[in-house]
Amino acid sequence: MIAFKANAAVRAALSAIGRTEDLRFSPDNRLLAIAGYARKRLLVLRIDIEAGSDGPVVTLHDFMELTSDDMSEIHGLDFIDDRTLAIANRDGLVAIFSLPREEPAGQSLEISAIRRVKGRRLCKLNSPGSIAVKRESRGRVSLLVCNNYTHLVTRHVVNRWLGYRTTSNQRLLERGLDIPDGIALSHDGRWIAVSSHGTQDVKLYCMSASLGPGTEPAGVLQHAGYPHGVRFTSDDRHILVADAGSRMVHVYAGDGDWSGHGAPARSATVLDEETFLRGRASPEEGGPKGLDIDRSNSVVAVTCEEQTLAFFALSSIFGGVENCRQSGAIALA
């Protein structure tokens, strides 16, 4: 674990945020946003990550705590750009916010959404959880939303040139999913990874024009426990999965083609036993939930209610796996 630098005010804000879900680095790597699910607020941290002689050095300079009538049980979030954020409220809808212009300086602010996304007809949002942003052409942005309790991923296209007005809604993924609880896109745009809580695995779908609710997953990452946060490394050769039912983050190794079935190449402990047991209300809880890799591909951030924020060097999570290629970890169907 990286012992990050932070002043007393930042540490107090982290302690006060309550139950967390997802977290996300901004594209410029200067901000880290954490979903404050229980207290219905967003915590935004000003962060620096630098290379040190003994590994990455993480400094949290300051924070801002944001509330809104359009923020409720925040489960998922993703940046559209450095200052624009899409938030998925488990008990409501998706809202798009422009972050305050000022730098985080220990303030609490109330803000308003610049757009709310509800979906339409057979594609209405229902229990939205994790969310992934996909940038398209001509000012369009796709919001891929896990609808937890309808076992469905929906796609909502908004146009930034039209003030993020929704221009289309689509039922995107359904086959094989049982409580989709996390979602990530590969950097080459070829793959969508979705954590499936009920089936205790991660489904991988190949991106194509024919993608739809009946599309079978092309790959399955098995033995994932109760998977939540999921992330591709920058070269798309590894996938990290946070297991909410254990103390672990699982590492899957591949060659960029995620077809077939795979087991973890390594599982790294990210919670001590005492912390884990404090949150162990059921076999599905206690472990890490939110997970992200910073834009330099050197630091992994994880969060859960009992450990609001922890950082790890990506190399320590790998533990040598990065040099193993497949090493038997991915068994192609």
Side-chain angles (χ1 to χ4, degrees), residues 98-330:
S98 180
L99 296 179
R101 291 183 177 274
E102 57 263 39
E103 286 289 301
Q107 70 270 55
S108 296
L109 300 171
E110 185 165 350
I111 60 175
S112 298
I114 56 178
R115 184 68 63 178
R116 299 196 300 169
V117 179
K118 302 177 182 179
R120 291 187 64 188
R121 297 177 185 171
L122 298 177
C123 196
K124 279 191 175 294
L125 287 170
N126 186 310
S127 59
S130 293
I131 184 172
V133 166
K134 183 176 185 294
R135 294 163 190 84
E136 313 280 5
S137 61
R138 299 190 298 276
R140 296 175 304 153
V141 177
S142 288
L143 308 177
L144 308 185
V145 182
C146 294
N147 294 263
N148 292 104
Y149 300 132
T150 52
H151 317 295
L152 176 71
V153 174
T154 53
R155 175 177 179 251
H156 308 270
V157 180
V158 299
N159 193 315
R160 68 174 71 199
W161 296 347
L162 301 175
Y164 294 101
R165 182 184 303 166
T166 304
T167 57
S168 70
N169 301 278
Q170 175 189 0
R171 295 167 66 89
L172 186 65
L173 301 171
E174 187 171 13
R175 186 65 61 88
L177 298 178
D178 185 350
I179 310 179
D181 219 8
I183 187 168
L185 303 173
S186 63
H187 295 84
D188 62 10
R190 294 175 55 204
W191 296 94
I192 305 175
V194 184
S195 301
S196 182
H197 179 95
T199 55
Q200 298 184 261
D201 55 26
V202 175
K203 301 294 198 303
L204 286 131
Y205 301 86
C206 189
M207 189 78 77
S208 69
S210 61
L211 199 64
T215 302
E216 293 280 356
V220 180
L221 304 183
Q222 299 174 311
H223 312 302
Y226 288 97
H228 195 283
V230 56
R231 226 72 197 143
F232 291 84
T233 55
S234 61
D235 60 4
D236 294 326
R237 299 173 70 87
H238 299 85
I239 295 176
L240 273 57
V241 178
D243 180 358
S246 79
R247 299 161 57 197
M248 304 294 182
V249 166
H250 304 299
V251 181
Y252 296 82
D255 61 359
D257 181 358
W258 293 97
S259 302
H261 291 70
R266 170 179 162 80
S267 296
T269 302
V270 296
L271 280 173
D272 63 67
E273 187 172 8
E274 180 182 353
T275 303
F276 173 65
L277 292 176
R278 280 203 310 270
R280 190 71 168 162
S282 78
E284 304 173 13
E285 299 178 48
K289 286 197 166 184
L291 177 149
D292 200 14
I293 302 171
D294 87 301
R295 306 299 172 152
S296 72
N297 206 52
S298 61
V299 169
V300 178
V302 295
T303 183
C304 64
E305 183 171 3
E306 300 298 332
Q307 181 173 275
T308 307
L309 184 60
F311 297 101
F312 299 85
L314 180 59
S315 58
S316 71
I317 298 291
F318 279 162
V321 171
E322 69 272 26
N323 297 319
C324 294
R325 296 293 297 274
Q326 288 180 300
S327 63
I330 298 294

Side-chain angles (χ1 to χ4, degrees), residues 23-135:
L23 80 173
R24 196 71 73 235
F25 289 97
S26 61
D28 63 6
N29 225 35
R30 298 181 70 248
L31 300 176
L32 178 61
I34 304 176
Y37 178 92
R39 295 191 62 215
K40 302 181 179 181
R41 60 199 59 214
L42 179 72
L43 184 64
V44 180
L45 302 168
R46 170 70 180 91
I47 187 170
D48 270 330
I49 296 175
E50 301 173 310
S53 57
D54 297 322
V57 177
V58 178
T59 304
L60 304 180
H61 292 285
D62 222 320
F63 72 96
M64 65 171 65
E65 192 177 73
L66 304 176
T67 57
S68 172
D69 289 342
D70 297 306
M71 290 182 194
S72 48
E73 293 177 349
I74 305 174
H75 187 285
L77 67 164
D78 201 5
F79 282 89
I80 294 174
D81 58 37
D82 292 330
R83 307 300 299 186
T84 311
L85 196 66
I87 286 176
N89 297 297
R90 171 70 72 76
D91 59 343
L93 40 72
V94 169
I96 298 174
F97 293 89
S98 180
L99 296 179
R101 291 183 177 274
E102 57 263 39
E103 286 289 301
Q107 70 270 55
S108 296
L109 300 171
E110 185 165 350
I111 60 175
S112 298
I114 56 178
R115 184 68 63 178
R116 299 196 300 169
V117 179
K118 302 177 182 179
R120 291 187 64 188
R121 297 177 185 171
L122 298 177
C123 196
K124 279 191 175 294
L125 287 170
N126 186 310
S127 59
S130 293
I131 184 172
V133 166
K134 183 176 185 294
R135 294 163 190 84

